[in-house]
Amino acid sequence: MGRKVHPIGFRLGINKPWLGRWYAEGKDYTEQLHQDLEIRKLMLKEAERAGVSGVEIERYPGKVKVSLHTAKPGILIGRKGESVKVLRQELEALTGKKIDLEVKEIKSADTDAYLVAQNIAGQLERRISYRRAMKRAIQQALRQGAGGIKISVSGRLSGAEMARRVTLREGRVPLQTLRADIDFAKATAKTTFGQIGIKVWIYKGIVMNQAEEKVEATEGVYISE
């Protein structure tokens, strides 16, 4: 069947958190939603070289907390925190509220779906073979401990007259298992022949709650009275 579910939206509230955590009604909801979109757009544009993968936003009375997930915190923070100060000033001008800016480091950029997708897009724009870029990304992700990875590229690959889609997969990628920790992201490569779409799925293992962990720990253990 042609209907597909977003892997992260499918798992919200199970093992994936909301990136925007706040509550509002009516007109306030509309304004804050558009403000969130502008914040994310600004962060991804200003910190493009820093490898920012995700932006979490929490709202409190008179204050907005913004958490940036980045693979290169040194570039984002800057010398003596100058870059962070500039970003905070821009966000305060945008929102009109006090900004609490937090920088979180991504330990493994090769297992972050957004960074992998952006890396492949950059390689395609530099005219590197799409198959070579995909295979390299798969090898690096598996080397860093990913349980499985699937990459799909679609468009006028290698300048072909007709657009097509190519998908490569290594390991397990159980999209229908709700307990599976699946990271998903999309990116677009703007080449001389047109736009090429990239999708990346990365499987990072099974996430269980405390009750399930206790059951699994006691399975196969015989207790004599």
Side-chain angles (χ1 to χ4, degrees):
M1 303 297 285
R3 296 175 182 176
K4 296 177 180 63
V5 178
H6 196 288
I8 294 177
F10 193 40
R11 292 167 174 80
L12 280 176
I14 298 171
N15 58 19
K16 293 289 183 183
W18 279 264
L19 293 179
R21 294 184 287 276
W22 47 267
Y23 178 80
E25 292 182 352
K27 189 177 179 182
D28 290 338
Y29 175 83
T30 307
E31 291 177 353
Q32 292 183 16
L33 178 62
H34 284 282
Q35 198 175 87
D36 277 15
L37 295 174
E38 289 296 322
I39 290 172
R40 289 194 170 91
K41 185 179 178 181
L42 176 65
M43 290 296 96
L44 293 175
K45 181 182 177 182
E46 292 292 330
E48 188 175 1
R49 289 176 54 250
V52 174
S53 172
V55 181
E56 295 184 25
I57 300 171
E58 295 181 70
R59 293 181 182 273
Y60 303 94
K63 186 177 76 170
V64 179
K65 182 179 179 181
V66 180
S67 300
L68 300 177
H69 296 264
T70 174
K72 302 173 183 176
I75 295 176
L76 186 62
I77 295 170
R79 185 174 294 177
K80 296 182 180 179
E82 293 177 359
S83 300
V84 167
K85 290 179 183 177
V86 173
L87 285 175
R88 186 180 289 111
Q89 290 171 0
E90 292 180 354
L91 289 173
E92 288 177 350
L94 178 64
T95 60
K97 295 181 179 179
K98 184 182 176 182
I99 296 293
D100 185 6
L101 193 59
E102 184 180 3
V103 178
K104 297 181 179 179
E105 183 181 3
I106 297 172
K107 299 297 182 182
S108 177
D110 293 326
T111 57
D112 187 283
Y114 181 81
L115 296 179
V116 171
Q118 290 292 335
N119 183 31
I120 294 172
Q123 291 184 60
L124 294 180
E125 290 174 353
R126 297 195 302 271
R127 301 195 177 189
I128 293 173
S129 168
Y130 70 91
R131 198 170 289 274
R132 180 182 175 188
M134 292 166 71
K135 286 184 177 179
R136 184 184 298 170
I138 288 172
Q139 291 171 0
Q140 290 175 342
L142 295 177
R143 196 179 296 124
Q144 291 295 323
I149 178 172
K150 183 170 78 168
I151 302 175
S152 178
V153 295
S154 59
R156 292 184 60 189
L157 303 175
S158 301
E161 287 295 322
M162 186 175 291
R164 68 185 191 276
R165 175 174 294 165
V166 174
T167 302
L168 295 180
R169 184 174 69 178
E170 287 285 341
R172 291 181 61 235
V173 187
L175 298 179
Q176 299 303 316
T177 305
L178 283 173
R179 293 187 305 169
D181 184 4
I182 303 288
D183 195 9
F184 173 76
K186 297 187 287 186
T188 303
K190 297 178 180 178
T191 68
T192 54
F193 302 105
Q195 292 188 348
I196 294 177
I198 301 130
K199 293 182 179 179
V200 177
W201 296 259
I202 297 179
Y203 170 54
K204 299 181 179 180
I206 295 292
V207 178
M208 294 187 293
N209 57 36
Q210 293 180 354
E212 289 175 324
E213 287 178 355
K214 289 180 181 177
V215 170
E216 186 171 282
T218 56
E219 278 185 355
V221 178
Y222 175 73
I223 302 174
S224 60
E225 295 181 359

